[in-house]
Amino acid sequence: MPLVIIAVGVLLLIILIMRFKLNTFASLIIVSFIIALLLGIPIKNVITSIENGLGGTLGHIGIIFGLGAMLGRIIADAGGAQRIADTLISKFGQKRIQWAILIASFICGIALFLEVTIVLLIPIIFSIAKELRVSIVKLGLPMVTAALSAHAFLPPHPGPIAVASEYHANVGMMLLYGIIIAIPTCLIAGIWYPKIAQKIVPTAFTREGSEAFGVQKTFKLEETPGFGISVFTALFPVILMAAGAVMDMIQPAVGFKDNWLVQTIRLITNSDTAMIISVLFAVYTMGLRRNIPMKQVMDSCSSAVNNLGMLILIIGGGGALKQVIVDGGVGDYVAKLFEGTHMSPILFAWIVAALLRVCLGSGTVATLTTPALVLPLLATIPNVNIELVALATGAGSAIASHVNDAGFWMVKESLGMNMKEAFGTYTVLSTIVGISGLVCTLLLDIIL
């Protein structure tokens, strides 16, 4: 059975990494080969599937991840990250700093991909952790919770937008309901659960983070740029992408045609272009404007990319594992399991998306695949709240991030955790996001 094969593959991967201490990237590629063969992918297609998965994942996040690391490093090396950290600490206090990070991450996460939010905020989180002498994990978990919740529930993220289109749901109502669902979800998974996780996997909360993002410099306050310009520079890609998302939402309603102006705005606000523009903006605000030599600013960019080599390979390896599972027909197998069901459409959409997410690894793939299995059921049931079905799909797609998810490896490596610690923190946390999202969706369905 495909599900048994996946379970065996995941167990083998854990054994290779934890028991035999094999390099994580090498372990991912080896297990991808084995799972591909066991799932019946023709031998001649195995290499192609692995290459497509690795290339597709890095093609999606490579530019953003590299440029995001440059942006974060420029801001950090100029003292901007420390200025933001010091200001947040002074305004919120040490006891409420997790709330500050949760709010900041949620605001960034509304417009940014999960990966971009992480790579942009990591330098700031590092600075705060260093200033307060606390573990990076304690602060990193609220960050990834907010980013994951926004990724699962809120347009203009590609998953919610795509699923809204498939279900013919109202995007504005999805955004409103999504915020209502995301707020309690963030509080439960991002504020409450880390306190529990500290008792379950205490070693995770001794971690100081990965060296992939470089050594954090220390500055005197007068040597750092102002708080306003530091925040504006860090949020510049958020502003650009948010502007593009707003245009995409209002264009159909207003009736603007796809003329050269709209196409230009869409180009500028595309995530890749926005990151390029933001790096150039940071070179000016954090460097040239403060009389920092261009060579020194470029050294920051080079060090950011040089340190990311293995991390990028590991993320790509997670994409390779995901792709062989998809190409092995696991999605079709899951579809057959649910033929002829008469379950509640909200619960059904969540279960299908959750199972696809656990099996395939990609929340986006699970989100895009689920409507095809749910729509036949919706056609037989009157007065279904389509927006809540779409949000239940998003909730299911967030659950149980583990070794076949590139996001799992990004969180694990950037926070410097081992496998056991990543399972006990991020995997459980993502599961709480998925379950809490379902519960809130069902409660909304009762109220509405």
Side-chain angles (χ1 to χ4, degrees):
M1 290 177 59
L3 302 187
V4 174
I5 292 172
I6 293 173
V8 171
V10 170
L11 180 61
L12 176 60
L13 181 64
I14 293 171
I15 292 172
L16 289 176
I17 295 173
M18 297 186 69
R19 175 68 179 85
F20 294 102
K21 309 299 182 185
L22 192 65
N23 176 272
T24 302
F25 174 69
S27 300
L28 283 164
I29 299 301
I30 291 169
V31 172
S32 297
F33 267 102
I34 294 172
I35 289 180
L37 294 172
L38 291 177
L39 288 175
I41 296 177
I43 294 176
K44 63 179 181 179
N45 296 336
V46 170
I47 297 295
T48 301
S49 182
I50 291 174
E51 289 178 347
N52 288 343
L54 192 148
T57 299
L58 295 185
H60 170 60
I61 70 168
I63 295 177
I64 293 174
F65 201 59
L67 291 171
M70 289 182 188
L71 177 61
R73 175 50 50 189
I74 291 172
I75 295 172
D77 285 354
Q82 183 176 323
R83 167 71 80 159
I84 295 171
D86 290 343
T87 304
L88 288 176
I89 292 168
S90 65
K91 295 295 183 184
F92 281 83
Q94 181 171 350
K95 292 183 179 180
R96 294 187 297 273
I97 193 63
Q98 288 175 298
W99 287 86
I101 292 170
L102 187 75
I103 294 168
S105 303
F106 189 75
I107 293 171
C108 291
I110 290 174
L112 301 184
F113 290 108
L114 172 69
E115 306 90 353
V116 186
T117 303
I118 292 173
V119 79
L120 283 181
L121 293 183
I122 275 291
I124 298 172
I125 304 299
F126 265 102
S127 296
I128 295 174
K130 183 176 181 180
E131 186 77 15
L132 295 180
R133 297 181 180 178
V134 299
S135 168
I136 183 70
V137 175
K138 182 177 180 179
L139 306 182
L141 294 183
M143 175 189 71
V144 296
T145 299
L148 180 61
S149 297
H151 183 80
F153 302 124
L154 303 182
H157 279 274
I161 285 289
V163 81
S165 175
E166 291 292 328
Y167 287 125
H168 302 290
N170 183 293
V171 174
M173 293 305 296
M174 266 193 71
L175 180 59
L176 176 61
Y177 294 155
I179 291 173
I180 294 172
I181 291 169
I183 290 174
T185 297
C186 285
L187 297 181
I188 294 170
I191 301 297
W192 175 75
Y193 178 67
K195 298 177 182 178
I196 306 299
Q198 197 159 0
K199 299 177 181 178
I200 299 173
V201 278
T203 57
F205 292 81
T206 63
R207 300 296 178 181
E208 298 181 355
S210 169
E211 295 181 358
F213 292 92
V215 178
Q216 301 297 303
K217 300 178 181 178
T218 303
F219 300 85
K220 296 179 180 178
L221 188 62
E222 59 270 18
E223 296 174 341
T224 62
F227 175 73
I229 191 62
S230 299
V231 170
F232 186 68
T233 302
L235 293 182
F236 197 61
V238 181
I239 296 168
L240 289 178
M241 293 184 213
V246 169
M247 188 196 70
D248 288 340
M249 291 174 68
I250 67 174
Q251 185 188 359
V254 177
F256 282 149
K257 295 182 179 179
D258 251 357
N259 55 29
W260 66 269
L261 179 60
V262 171
Q263 292 175 9
T264 301
I265 294 173
R266 189 169 285 128
L267 173 64
I268 292 172
T269 57
N270 174 273
S271 56
D272 291 348
T273 314
M275 291 305 302
I276 294 172
I277 295 172
S278 299
V279 168
L280 295 176
F281 183 68
V283 168
Y284 171 71
T285 59
M286 297 287 108
L288 302 181
R289 186 185 178 199
R290 302 180 62 240
N291 298 318
I292 297 176
M294 177 64 85
K295 183 181 183 303
Q296 185 175 333
V297 178
M298 290 302 101
D299 286 343
S300 294
C301 292
S302 298
S303 66
V305 176
N306 291 340
N307 290 329
L308 287 175
M310 184 52 65
L311 175 55
I312 289 176
L313 281 178
I314 289 171
I315 293 168
L321 178 58
K322 179 263 299 183
Q323 192 61 46
V324 298
I325 293 172
V326 172
D327 292 347
V330 175
D332 295 333
Y333 176 79
V334 172
K336 291 179 181 178
L337 292 178
F338 290 99
E339 284 181 349
T341 185
H342 298 288
M343 196 181 301
S344 158
I346 291 177
L347 183 59
F348 179 56
W350 184 86
I351 291 175
V352 172
L355 188 53
L356 287 170
R357 156 72 162 184
V358 172
C359 295
L360 304 179
S362 169
T364 303
V365 173
T367 300
L368 295 176
T369 306
T370 299
L373 307 178
V374 177
L375 284 171
L377 175 64
L378 293 179
T380 66
I381 302 176
N383 301 322
V384 176
N385 190 316
I386 298 298
E387 288 75 28
L388 294 184
V389 174
L391 288 168
T393 302
S397 73
I399 199 169
S401 173
H402 64 100
V403 295
N404 60 359
D405 176 21
F408 171 87
W409 297 105
M410 180 177 291
V411 173
K412 172 189 175 296
E413 295 296 320
S414 62
L415 298 183
M417 296 185 288
N418 62 32
M419 291 283 286
K420 178 183 176 182
E421 293 163 353
F423 283 133
T425 55
Y426 186 57
T427 301
V428 177
L429 182 150
S430 62
T431 302
I432 293 172
V433 169
I435 294 174
S436 177
L438 171 64
V439 171
C440 291
T441 303
L442 292 172
L443 289 175
L444 266 180
D445 187 47
I446 294 172
I447 295 170
L448 299 173

